[in-house]
């Protein structure tokens, strides 16, 4: 997912999509999810490779299309595929007076867990322990993990809260790359993923699959080709209007429910519950795996505590 915070920020994207042939390129690549090489795509569009290169460059610069080299077979082919699952545009800009604290949490820095096989963790360089052995979720090396997966259960993270003294939290935004966890890989493997803050259920999102049709952009070369390759970037927002995933409201749980201040502890739990309609597992990708160069990113908007209201939370 690409999140554009204003129309001005999205100007180059709009220019790239302001061409019928580039929109056609995106539609063709969406129909061919495994990607197409440049020769195939040029022939399909009945244009020269040189003309296609210019169009692909504009789409690649905006992050809509990714290009990778394929050395298998004869010669070195460039394979094009769509990089984004959705684009979110904020037409109404944020209040310029809001103060923002940003931080990130590594995938392996969970404070609590309960997971069931299939499961495992890996650092950017190697597996941590053995797969399907729950004990390694307590191994000291888990802090180096940039990917983890399990069939059901949860991991819970302590969210750093270093907003200034005498401030309250008005909004929290979590950004993370997620997918299901199938035996092997299966792009059609739905899983109901639940989100909690401080034990309160925020809502659910159904991951459509455990993606492995192509290698993740940042997934290391040593990673096994028939294992999870990439996920979808999801944005979870809690504000005074409720809780949202990628801009779509999933519950009425608002930030006022928590009464969070500079004193508050914040815990984010990501779970696949055993009684869910689709128990299809969870994979969380860090910056060394998947399609997005990030860990679990956190963005907290805050403002001074209204002394008349006396908002306090521990």
């Amino acid at each position: 997912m690409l999140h554009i915070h204003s129309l001005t920020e999205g100007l180059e994207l709009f220019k790239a999509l302001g061409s019928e042939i580039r929109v056609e390129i995106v539609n063709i690549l969406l129909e061919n999810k495994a990607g197409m090489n440049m020769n195939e795509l040029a022939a399909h569009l009945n244009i020269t490779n040189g003309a296609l290169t210019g169009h692909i460059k504009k789409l690649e610069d905006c992050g809509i299309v990714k290009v990778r080299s394929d050395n298998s077979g004869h010669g070195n082919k460039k394979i094009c595929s769509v990089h984004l699952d959705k684009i979110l545009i904020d037409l109404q800009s944020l209040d310029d007076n809001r103060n923002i604290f940003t931080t990130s949490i590594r995938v392996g820095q969970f404070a609590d867990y309960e997971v069931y096989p299939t499961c495992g963790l890996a650092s950017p360089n190697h597996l941590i322990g053995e797969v399907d052995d729950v004990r390694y979720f307590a191994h000291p090396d888990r802090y180096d993990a940039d990917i983890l997966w399990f069939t059901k259960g949860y991991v819970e993270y302590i969210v750093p809260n270093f907003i200034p003294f005498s401030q309250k939290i008005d909004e929290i935004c979590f950004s993370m790359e997620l997918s299901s966890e199938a035996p092997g890989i299966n792009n059609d493997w739905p899983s109901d993923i639940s989100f909690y803050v401080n034990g309160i259920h925020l809502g659910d999102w159904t991951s459509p699959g455990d993606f492995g049709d192509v290698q993740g952009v940042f997934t290391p070369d040593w990673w096994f080709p028939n294992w999870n390759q990439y996920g979808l970037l999801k944005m979870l927002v809690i504000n005074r209007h409720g809780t949202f995933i990628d801009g779509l409201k999933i519950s009425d749980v608002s930030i006022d429910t928590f009464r969070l201040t500079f004193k508050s502890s914040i815990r984010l739990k990501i779970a696949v519950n055993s009684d869910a309609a689709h128990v299809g597992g969870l994979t969380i990708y860090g910056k060394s795996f998947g399609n997005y160069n990030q860990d679990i990113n956190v963005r907290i908007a805050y403002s001074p505590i209204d002394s008349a209201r006396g908002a306090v939370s521990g």
Side-chain angles (χ1 to χ4, degrees):
M1 183 191 75
L2 175 63
H3 184 201
I4 296 173
H5 298 90
S6 69
L7 291 175
T8 302
E9 183 182 327
L11 190 57
E12 292 305 314
L13 172 72
F14 305 144
K15 288 179 180 178
L17 292 176
S19 159
E20 289 186 10
I21 192 167
R22 288 196 284 275
V23 171
E24 186 177 359
I25 289 169
V26 173
N27 284 329
I28 291 170
L29 294 178
L30 286 171
E31 293 174 1
N32 297 270
K33 296 187 182 298
M36 296 179 69
N37 69 52
M38 297 283 279
N39 292 333
E40 293 172 334
L41 193 51
H44 191 95
L45 293 163
N46 196 27
I47 61 175
T48 65
N49 278 45
L52 176 63
T53 299
H55 290 303
I56 291 295
K57 180 70 166 58
K58 289 183 180 296
L59 293 170
E60 188 179 18
D61 288 345
C62 292
I64 300 171
V65 165
K66 63 180 177 181
V67 180
R68 70 182 192 278
S69 297
D70 182 6
N71 298 318
S72 61
H74 300 287
N76 183 10
K77 297 180 180 179
K78 292 187 178 297
I79 307 297
C80 305
S81 58
V82 175
H83 181 51
L84 300 172
D85 60 307
K86 57 172 60 71
I87 299 170
L88 176 64
I89 303 171
D90 289 334
L91 294 180
Q92 185 173 2
S93 61
L94 293 174
D95 182 353
D96 291 336
N97 293 324
R98 292 206 303 180
N99 299 302
I100 303 296
F101 167 73
T102 60
T103 187
S104 64
I105 309 167
R106 290 198 67 173
V107 168
Q109 289 181 328
F110 48 87
D112 193 14
Y113 71 94
E114 181 180 333
V115 300
Y116 294 84
T118 54
C119 63
L121 314 94
S123 74
N125 303 311
H126 56 79
L127 289 170
I128 296 173
E130 299 181 9
V131 296
D132 299 339
D133 189 338
V134 174
R135 294 178 301 167
Y136 286 98
F137 275 71
H139 195 283
D141 289 350
R142 69 177 174 83
Y143 291 104
D144 297 326
D146 260 359
I147 187 172
L148 66 78
W149 64 97
F150 55 86
T151 295
K152 63 179 181 178
Y154 69 85
V155 285
E156 187 173 48
Y157 299 90
I158 296 176
V159 179
N161 176 13
F162 297 116
I163 68 171
F165 286 92
S166 301
Q167 303 289 305
K168 61 181 176 63
I169 294 176
D170 301 318
E171 179 180 286
I172 307 177
C173 174
F174 300 102
S175 173
M176 60 201 106
E177 185 175 356
L178 308 174
S179 77
S180 309
E181 159 52 21
I185 52 175
N186 190 333
N187 283 22
D188 184 15
W189 190 266
S191 184
D192 296 334
I193 298 171
S194 298
F195 302 95
Y196 302 79
V197 164
N198 290 358
I200 296 176
H201 182 213
L202 301 174
D204 308 308
W205 168 68
T206 300
S207 168
D210 178 4
F211 305 106
D213 50 325
V214 296
Q215 183 177 359
V217 173
F218 297 100
T219 299
D221 291 338
W222 66 265
W223 189 247
F224 308 96
N226 61 335
W227 284 16
N228 328 49
Q229 293 292 324
Y230 64 93
L232 302 178
L233 190 65
K234 310 311 295 180
M235 186 174 67
L236 174 69
V237 175
I238 317 160
N239 59 30
R240 61 187 180 88
H241 302 293
T243 300
F244 302 80
I245 290 274
D246 298 343
L248 299 176
K249 192 172 186 178
I250 60 171
S251 80
D252 291 326
V253 178
S254 73
I255 198 69
D256 294 335
T257 303
F258 302 95
R259 295 171 60 83
L260 300 172
T261 73
F262 67 100
K263 296 180 180 180
S264 302
S265 60
I266 307 171
R267 300 177 75 98
L268 170 69
K269 180 191 288 187
I270 312 172
V272 177
N273 296 319
S274 58
D275 59 353
H278 303 98
V279 183
L282 169 65
T283 304
I284 308 177
Y285 301 81
K287 60 186 177 183
S288 299
F289 286 83
N291 283 348
Y292 299 91
N293 184 24
Q294 67 166 73
D295 297 313
I296 300 173
N297 287 348
V298 184
R299 185 174 182 271
I300 299 175
Y302 61 90
S303 62
I305 293 173
D306 183 350
S307 58
R309 296 176 59 191
V312 175
S313 175

